[in-house]
């Protein structure tokens, strides 16, 4: 999992990033809102940890600007403020969850995992791309109006691809996101499941493109 930490307190940021890397995840740190938004414009993250009180623009403003660009990456706000109105304000600006400081690292990990699962399972469908849809309510794939049965892993993999249309996903990232950290990184599991999905997509199988030496990309236009 690839996580962006926007936190101005170096001690707190270092604690969080070291812990996340200890879980086997990638952690990138930005110390203010402007640099965090710049990082989000140029990179793809699975979850954002966002402090409310930042130098320059606040975490609330960062969240508002992020959502205004159409970026729906899950945002977990970190705050030393326990006031209900602060939490309500953040949620209305697009935050997905809150965690008050000081917090248990185990709880932080659990909340990150929950946000990531929710985002992958309910991948939005692109307007107009109605020949291949992921039904968010039934958690099933529809190809040309027909329901295609998927196993749990196939469903999670397809949701991940659809949530990252046009972006290249490395085999390592797919393996970590769908199977977790216990899977052997040298396994061909990802390739096997990609082949299964292509078969189930039928004439739309070419939409899952192999990027040689890197991984896979889903393209609506193919």
């Amino acid at each position: 999992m690839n996580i962006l930490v926007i936190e101005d307190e170096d001690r707190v940021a270092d604690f969080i990033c070291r812990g996340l890397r200890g879980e086997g995840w990638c952690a990138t740190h930005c110390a203010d809102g402007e640099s965090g938004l710049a990082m989000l414009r140029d990179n793809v993250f699975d979850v954002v940890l966002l402090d409310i009180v930042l130098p320059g623009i606040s975490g609330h403003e960062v969240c508002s600007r992020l959502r205004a660009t159409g970026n729906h990456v899950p945002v977990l706000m970190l705050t030393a403020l326990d006031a209900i109105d602060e939490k309500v304000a953040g949620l209305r600006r697009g935050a997905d969850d809150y965690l008050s400081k000081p917090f248990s690292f185990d709880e932080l990990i659990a909340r990150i995992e929950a946000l990531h699962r929710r985002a992958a399972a309910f991948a939005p469908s692109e307007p107009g791309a109605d020949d291949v849809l992921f039904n968010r309510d039934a958690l099933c794939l529809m190809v040309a109006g027909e329901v295609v049965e998927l196993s749990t892993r196939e469903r999670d993999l397809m949701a991940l691809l659809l949530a990252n249309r046009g972006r290249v996903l490395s085999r390592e990232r797919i393996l970590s996101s769908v199977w977790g950290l216990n899977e052997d990184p040298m396994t061909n599991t990802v390739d096997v499941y990609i082949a299964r999905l292509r078969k189930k997509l039928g004439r739309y199988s070419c939409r899952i493109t192999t990027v040689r030496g890197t991984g896979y990309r889903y393209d609506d236009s193919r």
Side-chain angles (χ1 to χ4, degrees), residues 6-190:
I6 306 177
E7 166 65 63
D8 65 319
E9 294 185 42
D10 290 338
R11 181 180 57 82
V12 175
D14 181 64
F15 166 74
I16 293 173
C17 288
R18 284 190 293 107
L20 295 176
R21 290 166 187 151
E23 294 291 318
W25 298 339
C26 296
T28 302
H29 173 230
C30 290
D32 61 82
E34 293 287 2
S35 60
L37 286 170
M39 186 68 66
L40 284 159
R41 282 194 297 269
D42 299 331
N43 301 274
V44 177
F45 294 95
D46 297 300
V47 174
V48 176
L49 305 184
L50 176 60
D51 190 25
I52 290 182
V53 182
L54 295 168
I57 61 174
S58 69
H60 286 162
E61 182 62 23
V62 170
C63 201
S64 292
R65 294 190 190 182
L66 178 65
R67 296 311 187 213
T69 67
N71 191 327
H72 298 290
V73 60
V75 173
L76 173 60
M77 280 194 156
L78 306 177
T79 176
L81 305 173
D82 202 26
I84 296 299
D85 57 343
E86 285 290 340
K87 295 181 179 180
V88 170
L91 292 169
R92 285 178 172 168
R93 290 184 178 223
D96 296 280
D97 198 4
Y98 260 92
L99 189 57
S100 297
K101 301 175 184 177
F103 51 79
S104 159
F105 192 76
D106 287 340
E107 183 179 3
L108 175 65
I109 294 299
R111 287 177 182 266
I112 290 172
E113 291 175 337
L115 286 175
H116 185 248
R117 283 196 306 270
R118 193 181 310 156
F122 295 94
S125 297
E126 290 289 330
D130 55 3
D131 38 15
V132 178
L133 295 175
F134 187 76
N135 188 309
R136 294 178 294 175
D137 297 319
L139 295 181
C140 66
L141 183 68
M142 299 186 69
V143 178
E146 298 292 327
V147 175
V148 176
E149 296 296 331
L150 299 177
S151 68
T152 299
R153 295 299 191 192
E154 290 169 347
R155 183 195 70 200
D156 291 346
L157 175 55
M158 192 70 212
L160 181 66
L161 291 170
L162 290 173
N164 292 275
R165 286 175 168 85
R167 298 167 179 157
V168 179
L169 299 177
S170 68
R171 288 177 174 81
E172 292 76 16
R173 182 184 171 191
I174 293 172
L175 199 65
S176 175
S177 297
V178 177
W179 281 270
L181 300 174
N182 294 325
E183 193 74 14
D184 182 357
M186 301 305 292
T187 183
N188 68 339
T189 297
V190 172

